[in-house]
């Protein structure tokens, strides 16, 4: 019984990080209706950024997180300028392909530079023991950091000028422009924030598991599942969706072979898309 | 039909695919085989993306599932190739029809996401399903090649059958474009709600084209993995190939049969060049990505779209 409880708790801790990763994706979709297929590659870049800051420069991984976030933000601005700006408002195919092209370029360069062999950030914090089981300290800290960042984003979106401008552009770009909001700049900033969050979530994942340049794609797929659970374009729903996905993974793993988890996840994903396209939790938007 | 120049382009293409390897040898056959597979994927994807305006990110699921079912029929049930290919194709098309009735209620980005989910769910299922060999997949024993006269002859049979499917894909794309059904699909692409008001049965049409676009790729999947000798889930359900198919389509020009075929052929040649060249082999993904980005940003009509913009006469030849 304790085993199941610990498994679910572990799942929830991981789920908060899935949620954080998905917030980056869902924020971008909510504001500019672009599904960012470069999301996974940006998560992977976050992992490698943390690796080089922590292993090569010897920084404490958690102190390196703000640097990763700023790097991700700048990267997001560059990607927006190069690839996204011209496809906003055009057919979905164009934005999907543009972001996928970015992903191919990043993963291709990453593979050429770092190969596809696994990297690992050597680092651990004493864990919490429950009976025969131990919850690693890294997981606890990463989950707390993920939730703090999500809360900070919420405060930013609802209580600052730029945050309010972002929400205004999301609900109606033309009207926002008429109110004097520089919508192009706001879109670029939003994309930067989305990528920054993706990079930080990648960095947090790097403190837990070994990774390669290709690892991003599996977290990208998880982010899709999470955003669909929470409703596309709904950041608060994404965090809950992440926790739900983590809960499912934790609750399923003691009973099924691990290999079946993706079958359940993705079948659920398609079913929820068809049956509840607005997501399971309709909160945070005042509807 | 016989008076249309494009019909003769189709005939010439198929003849070239038959004659070139007979005179040029095995190396050319291997390159053309891969090109034919790519062209089949691109042509059938064109039915969804180019004609109907629905972005199917998971078209590879037809190819992979067809291959898996077909190889299962050949290596475990000991069916002959010529039964396994059409049966696998029909089963996949039927599954696609049922699935299509569900997921085609979604539009735009939601549909695109759902197709990715379908690939991942199917891939994960096949990797865990023991009758299909789990994650290690299935092998074809040499005895399966015997009825065709041995392994060497079997490879030629698989090649010519694939060329046959290529011809069918070209004809199918062309016939649908010229038909009433095709006009309905174009109407859905331009404005689905208006099309429904005008009497186009959009849900049925969409599910039908989704199913039709599954048939030939699934059959090509059986031939590909039959020739390959082994089918593994990682290779059969490779999301990258699915997206490469979209790149081919964009490169040639979506919405045109000629463009879809040209894109598949050009992409295979281009990829082969990058993979074998010593300077670029490490960077083939980077270059392909940069190419895709340039097409999307500056030439969304692809090669054929660019031609059509410059000369009017090409519209009547390269349909």
């Amino acid at each position: 019984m304790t085993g199941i409880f610990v498994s679910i708790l572990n799942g929830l801790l991981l789920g908060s990080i899935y949620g954080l990763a998905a917030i980056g994706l869902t924020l971008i979709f909510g504001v500019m209706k672009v599904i960012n297929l470069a999301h996974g590659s940006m998560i992977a870049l976050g992992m490698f950024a943390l690796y080089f800051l922590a292993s090569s420069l010897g920084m404490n991984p958690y102190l390196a997180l703000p640097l990763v976030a700023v790097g991700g933000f700048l990267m997001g601005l560059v990607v927006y300028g190069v690839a996204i700006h011209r496809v906003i408002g055009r057919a979905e195919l164009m934005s999907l392909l543009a972001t996928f092209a970015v992903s191919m370029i990043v993963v291709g360069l990453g593979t050429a530079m770092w190969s596809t062999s696994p990297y690992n950030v050597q680092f651990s914090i004493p864990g919490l023991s429950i009976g025969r089981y131990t919850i690693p300290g890294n997981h606890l800290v990463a989950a707390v950091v993920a939730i703090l960042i999500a809360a900070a984003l919420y405060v930013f979106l609802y209580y600052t000028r730029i945050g309010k401008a972002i929400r205004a552009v999301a609900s109606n770009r033309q009207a926002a422009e008429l109110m004097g909001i520089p919508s192009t700049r706001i879109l670029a900033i939003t994309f930067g924030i989305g990528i920054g969050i993706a990079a930080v979530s990648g960095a947090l994942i790097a403190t837990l598991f070994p990774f390669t340049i290709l690892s991003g794609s599996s977290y990208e797929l998880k982010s899709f599942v999470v955003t669909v659970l929470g409703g596309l374009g709904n950041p608060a729903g994404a965090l809950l969706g992440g926790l739900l996905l983590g809960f499912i993974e934790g609750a399923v793993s003691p009973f099924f072979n691990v290999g079946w988890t993706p079958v359940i996840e993705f079948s659920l994903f398609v079913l929820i898309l068809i049956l509840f396209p607005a997501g399971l939790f309709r909160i945070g938007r005042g509807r | 039909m016989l008076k249309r120049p494009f019909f003769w382009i189709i005939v010439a293409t198929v003849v070239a695919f038959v004659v070139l390897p007979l005179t040029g040898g095995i190396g050319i056959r291997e390159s053309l085989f891969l090109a034919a597979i790519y062209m089949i994927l691109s042509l059938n994807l064109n039915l969804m993306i180019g004609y109907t305006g629905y972005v199917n990110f998971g078209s590879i699921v037809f190819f992979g599932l067809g291959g898996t079912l077909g190889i299962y029929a050949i290596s475990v049930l000991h069916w002959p190739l010529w039964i396994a290919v059409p049966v696998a194709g029909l089963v996949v098309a039927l599954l696609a029809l049922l699935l299509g009735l569900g997921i085609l209620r979604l539009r735009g980005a939601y549909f695109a996401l759902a197709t990715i989910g379908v690939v991942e769910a199917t891939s994960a299922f096949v990797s865990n399903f023991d009758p299909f060999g789990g994650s290690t997949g299935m092998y074809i024993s040499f005895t399966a090649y015997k009825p065709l006269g041995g392994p060497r002859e079997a490879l030629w049979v698989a090649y010519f059958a694939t060329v046959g499917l290529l011809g069918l894909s070209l004809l199918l794309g062309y016939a649908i474009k010229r038909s009433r059904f095709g006009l309905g699909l174009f109407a859905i692409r331009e404005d689905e709600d208006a099309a429904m008001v005008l009497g186009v049965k959009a849900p049925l049409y969409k599910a039908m084209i989704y199913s039709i676009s599954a048939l030939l790729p699934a059959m090509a999947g059986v031939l590909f993995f039959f020739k390959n000798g082994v089918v593994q889930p990682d290779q059969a359900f490779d999301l990258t190939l699915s997206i490469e198919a979209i790149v081919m389509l964009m490169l040639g020009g979506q919405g045109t049969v000629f463009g879809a075929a040209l894109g598949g052929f050009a992409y295979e040649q281009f990829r082969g060049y990058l993979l074998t060249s010593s300077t670029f082999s490490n960077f083939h993904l980077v270059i392909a990505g940069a190419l895709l980005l340039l097409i999307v940003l500056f030439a969304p009509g692809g090669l054929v779209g660019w031609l059509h913009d410059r000369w009017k006469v090409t519209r009547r030849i390269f349909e």
Side-chain angles (χ1 to χ4, degrees), chain A residues 68-117:
Chain A
V68 175
V70 172
F73 179 77
L74 295 177
M75 181 77 192
L77 293 186
V78 172
V79 172
Y80 180 85
V82 173
I84 311 298
H85 181 61
R86 290 179 60 111
V87 296
I88 282 182
R90 282 166 61 189
E92 290 103 19
L93 178 62
M94 298 302 165
S95 56
L96 286 167
L97 288 179
T99 52
F100 186 74
V102 171
S103 159
M104 281 167 85
I105 294 171
V106 170
V107 171
L109 285 175
T111 311
M113 282 192 287
W114 305 310
S115 80
T116 51
S117 48

Side-chain angles (χ1 to χ4, degrees), chain A residues 175-198:
Chain A
E177 187 77 35
L178 290 174
M179 298 301 127
I181 295 172
S183 64
T184 303
R185 204 182 308 162
I186 292 295
L187 289 182
I189 290 173
T190 311
F191 199 81
I193 293 174
I195 299 298
I197 290 175

Side-chain angles (χ1 to χ4, degrees), chain B residues 253-271:
Chain B
Q254 50 157 321
T256 62
V257 182
F258 186 78
L262 181 68
F265 185 77
Y267 186 81
E268 197 277 331
Q269 297 293 321
F270 177 65
R271 183 172 169 278

Side-chain angles (χ1 to χ4, degrees), chain B:
Chain B
M1 191 122 175
L2 293 178
K3 280 190 186 160
R4 300 221 172 248
F6 190 67
F7 176 74
W8 296 104
I9 292 181
I10 296 178
V11 173
T13 309
V14 173
V15 168
F17 267 81
V18 171
V19 171
L20 281 177
L22 286 177
T23 54
I26 306 271
I28 294 201
R29 186 193 72 191
E30 292 305 300
S31 160
L32 287 180
F33 177 70
L34 200 56
I37 294 280
Y38 281 5
M39 288 160 84
I40 293 169
L41 291 179
S42 165
L43 279 162
N44 286 285
L45 186 60
N46 187 28
L47 302 178
M48 282 302 290
I49 293 183
Y51 290 6
T52 323
Y54 273 73
V55 183
N56 184 355
F57 254 92
S59 58
I60 199 64
V61 75
F62 308 142
F63 181 74
L65 191 62
T68 308
L69 292 176
I71 299 308
Y72 178 75
I74 292 171
S75 73
V76 180
L77 306 178
H78 303 293
W79 290 10
L81 181 67
W82 60 273
I83 296 182
V85 170
V87 169
L90 288 174
V91 169
V92 172
L94 190 67
L95 288 175
L97 185 66
L98 296 177
L99 183 68
L101 288 172
I103 63 170
L104 280 155
R105 287 164 40 178
L106 304 168
R107 291 189 190 180
Y110 292 82
F111 174 75
L113 276 184
T115 56
I116 294 180
V118 169
V119 177
E120 294 299 325
T122 316
S123 162
F125 176 80
V126 171
S127 324
N128 285 289
F129 192 59
D130 290 330
F132 293 159
S135 56
T136 50
M138 289 174 287
Y139 293 82
I140 293 182
S141 67
F142 274 112
T143 50
Y145 295 122
K146 267 224 179 89
L148 300 171
R152 224 152 58 108
E153 287 73 11
L155 295 187
W156 280 104
V157 170
Y159 174 74
F160 287 125
T162 308
V163 173
L165 290 182
L166 171 63
L168 285 179
S169 300
L170 286 162
L171 282 176
L172 182 73
Y174 183 56
I176 289 180
K177 190 167 190 175
R178 290 270 148 214
S179 70
R180 204 183 150 81
F181 177 56
L183 286 178
L185 296 178
F186 293 152
I188 292 172
R189 177 185 69 189
E190 298 306 327
D191 187 334
E192 187 165 341
D193 296 314
M196 283 170 75
V197 171
L198 291 174
V200 175
K201 295 188 182 68
L204 180 68
Y205 273 34
K206 287 188 296 180
M208 275 170 67
I209 196 69
Y210 188 67
S211 166
I212 291 171
S213 75
L215 178 67
L216 294 171
M219 291 164 71
V222 184
L223 292 169
F224 180 82
F225 291 106
F226 178 74
K227 190 165 171 296
N228 203 16
V230 53
V231 56
Q232 286 171 328
D234 285 351
Q235 200 192 359
F237 299 97
D238 185 4
L239 200 57
T240 312
L241 182 56
S242 201
I243 292 167
E244 281 180 316
I246 301 181
V247 177
M248 298 167 204
L249 188 56
M250 294 297 295
L251 179 69
Q254 50 157 321
T256 62
V257 182
F258 186 78
L262 181 68
F265 185 77
Y267 186 81
E268 197 277 331
Q269 297 293 321
F270 177 65
R271 183 172 169 278
Y273 170 73
L274 289 183
L275 281 176
T276 48
S277 108
S278 54
T279 23
F280 295 130
S281 61
N282 283 329
F283 292 98
H284 85 271
L285 207 57
V286 181
I287 295 169
L291 177 75
L292 174 62
L293 192 59
L294 289 177
I295 296 172
V296 169
L297 295 180
F298 301 109
L303 285 170
V304 171
W306 182 78
L307 279 180
H308 285 357
D309 282 347
R310 305 204 79 187
W311 293 290
K312 282 240 165 65
V313 66
T314 59
R315 280 173 197 270
R316 280 192 287 123
I317 303 171
F318 302 137
E319 305 203 40

